[in-house]
Structure formats: structure tokens, C-alpha cells
Amino acid sequence: MQHPVTEQHEAVPETQHRVCVDLLNAALGKEIATTLQYLYFHARFEDARYLHLSQIMRRIAIAEMRHIEEFSDRILFLEGDIDMNPAFRTRQMEDPTEMLRFAVQLEENTVRSYNEAARLAAEERDAATHKLFEETIAEEEAHLDTFRAELDHLEQYGERYLALQAEAGSRHAAQELGRANEAFEKGE
């Protein structure tokens, strides 16, 4: 005999949650693309030994990966299928100011689109999807604030700001190399 709950469960029609699944998949594509973009920036900043900017990009890319997981989980709960394709191709750039301006633009666009998605999810009477978008907006606004502050520092202090980061990155690399050499000499 089946459990009473499963006896009452019927397949959810394909279109019942279509609007919210589509909103979530659009957000998923943005999060994937943004994660890849920030990982690219992280690698470029790390290569230039801009330690602080590199760590910021890495930390925010990881936060974006968490958003991918949360959106995916919600789509699957709504019995939709996840579309794991980036919304845009990673843009290659070398100039730190250009990178930060692009990051600001990405976050501004994300906040704007997630506000609209939250509104539409509320219209669909999907409180959990609405709440997920609202919570994500708060995190994206924090990312935006971080990028704006870093861009402001870079525009105010220019090459001096990057030089200080490069010095810190070089010091960090030298410390890591020293630890690796010590471990090697100890036979570890």
C-alpha cells in the first residue's frame, strides 16, 4: 500500500510554474556567466599580484556559485529543468579600471533584473521564489557596493593603489615560496 501523501500527489503540469522556472533559469544563466567573468578577473588580478582585488573577485565568484546552486535547487523543486548555460561569454580585458567598471555594470543589471523577477514571482504567488530573489538582491547589492568602492579607490589613487596591492601580493608570494622551501628541506 502506498503512503497516503504519495497517493494524493499528482504530476505537476508543465506550465504550472513555467513563469518562475523561466525567471530562475534566466537568473541561473546570469550567475553562471558572472561567475566565469569574476573567475577570469580573479586570475588576471592574481597574475598581476593585485592580491586584494584577486581575493575580492574569488570571494564574490564563490558567492555567485552559491546562487547557481540555490536557483538550481528551486527550479528542480518546481519540477522544471535547469539550463546550465551562461547568459554571455566571458569578456577578456586587462585594464583593472575597465574590469571594475564592467563588474559594477554587471551587478547593477543583476539587481535591476532580480527586482523585476521578484515582482513577477510575487504576481505568480510564488512566495519562496520571490523571497529567493529578494535575498539574492541583498547579496548582489553588497557586491555592487564592494566594486564601487574598489573602483573609486582605483580612480582616486590610480597606479599607486595597484602598486600597493602588487607589493602585498609579492610579499605574500615570497612568504608562500619560503614556506614551500622549508617544507621541501624538511622532507615534507
Side-chain angles (χ1 to χ4, degrees):
M1 182 165 119
Q2 287 188 326
H3 189 276
V5 173
T6 57
E7 284 178 7
Q8 296 173 2
H9 176 65
E10 294 178 3
V12 177
E14 160 68 28
T15 58
Q16 182 176 354
H17 301 289
R18 177 56 35 214
V19 170
C20 289
V21 167
D22 289 347
L23 292 169
L24 289 160
N25 264 318
L28 184 61
K30 288 176 186 166
E31 294 294 329
I32 292 167
T34 302
T35 298
L36 294 172
Q37 188 68 59
Y38 294 165
L39 288 173
Y40 172 82
F41 290 162
H42 160 69
R44 294 299 301 210
F45 288 143
E46 186 174 65
D47 184 60
R49 297 233 170 106
Y50 300 151
L51 186 62
H52 179 66
L53 288 173
S54 174
Q55 289 172 347
I56 287 172
M57 287 299 172
R58 181 179 182 280
R59 180 177 43 84
I60 293 177
I62 291 169
E64 303 294 2
M65 285 184 238
R66 191 174 29 73
H67 298 162
I68 293 168
E69 184 176 29
E70 291 166 350
F71 289 141
S72 297
D73 288 347
R74 184 68 188 153
I75 291 166
L76 293 172
F77 177 80
L78 294 174
E79 298 183 335
D81 195 11
I82 51 178
D83 182 357
M84 285 286 188
N85 291 296
F88 59 88
R89 289 181 52 85
T90 302
R91 294 190 189 167
Q92 296 178 318
M93 45 186 89
E94 295 180 28
D95 180 56
T97 303
E98 182 183 359
M99 290 179 191
L100 289 170
R101 283 187 183 135
F102 189 58
V104 165
Q105 179 185 355
L106 287 174
E107 295 299 328
E108 287 173 342
N109 291 339
T110 298
V111 168
R112 198 171 20 260
S113 70
Y114 288 4
N115 270 305
E116 179 64 11
R119 184 188 68 75
L120 292 170
E123 283 181 11
E124 291 294 313
R125 295 188 172 109
D126 184 343
T129 299
H130 176 260
K131 181 180 178 188
L132 177 57
F133 276 114
E134 285 186 330
E135 290 169 349
T136 307
I137 290 165
E139 288 185 45
E140 300 294 357
E141 286 178 342
H143 302 166
L144 176 58
D145 187 53
T146 298
F147 291 143
R148 283 178 176 164
E150 291 305 316
L151 181 59
D152 185 53
H153 295 327
L154 188 53
E155 288 175 340
Q156 273 188 320
Y157 306 114
E159 291 299 317
R160 291 177 300 184
Y161 185 65
L162 294 175
L164 288 171
Q165 289 196 39
E167 179 186 344
S170 292
R171 220 173 325 126
H172 177 75
Q175 290 169 350
E176 289 295 313
L177 183 60
R179 282 192 280 275
N181 284 337
E182 286 176 17
F184 178 76
E185 289 172 6
K186 290 179 182 176
E188 295 177 359

